[in-house]
Amino acid sequence: MAADTASPVTEACPIVEVLDHVAGKWAVGILVTAAQGPVRFTELEREVEGISRRMLTLTLRKLERDGLLVRTVYPTVPPRVEYTLTDMARELHQTLVGLTSWAEKHRGEIAAARRAYDEQQTAATV
């Protein structure tokens, strides 16, 4: 293959990676929380239910690297760090709001479908 042409697989990999970053379990909560305005690490830690400090740090770095968050360090003692959404992330936020609204609207139906499926699987193995 010529050096100036990329295979579909090569082109798809970054898309898959970006989708993994923005649609991941923790990224959605971080982006939705940060959409309220500048947010500090401890606020994110409180708001994003179940996330560990390490996972929060790693996810924030990925989102910053992808150009979705801006990290601002203020020269205070101790240093104050805030995260804000970029314009690109604000655009993404609209999609995430729709997705989370859909999930909230249908979570009861999904739970019922799972119970019915599990009961059906249990009955089939007996």
Side-chain angles (χ1 to χ4, degrees):
M1 184 180 299
D4 61 340
T5 59
S7 75
V9 172
T10 304
E11 290 178 17
C13 288
I15 293 169
V16 170
E17 185 177 312
V18 169
L19 288 174
D20 181 50
H21 288 185
V22 299
K25 178 180 182 179
W26 305 119
V28 171
I30 290 168
L31 293 171
V32 168
T33 302
Q36 309 307 315
V39 63
R40 296 176 72 177
F41 185 92
T42 53
E43 292 174 87
L44 288 167
E45 196 174 28
R46 277 193 308 271
E47 293 294 320
V48 181
E49 190 175 320
I51 195 167
S52 69
R53 289 185 142 240
R54 171 138 173 82
M55 187 54 65
L56 178 56
T57 299
L58 293 173
T59 307
L60 287 169
R61 286 180 186 160
K62 285 180 186 177
L63 293 172
E64 185 180 5
R65 182 173 183 242
D66 288 341
L68 298 171
L69 287 178
V70 173
R71 181 178 184 262
T72 305
V73 180
Y74 295 94
T76 59
V77 178
R80 188 181 77 187
V81 179
E82 290 182 341
Y83 296 90
T84 54
L85 296 184
T86 62
D87 289 341
M88 183 171 52
R90 277 190 274 285
E91 182 182 341
L92 171 62
H93 177 256
Q94 296 307 310
T95 303
L96 294 176
V97 167
L99 178 62
T100 54
S101 295
W102 176 89
E104 287 175 11
K105 178 180 177 182
H106 295 287
R107 68 179 167 186
E109 295 169 69
I110 292 168
R114 287 178 178 176
R115 281 191 302 275
Y117 178 87
D118 291 346
E119 289 170 7
Q120 187 178 42
Q121 293 302 308
T122 302
T125 59
V126 176

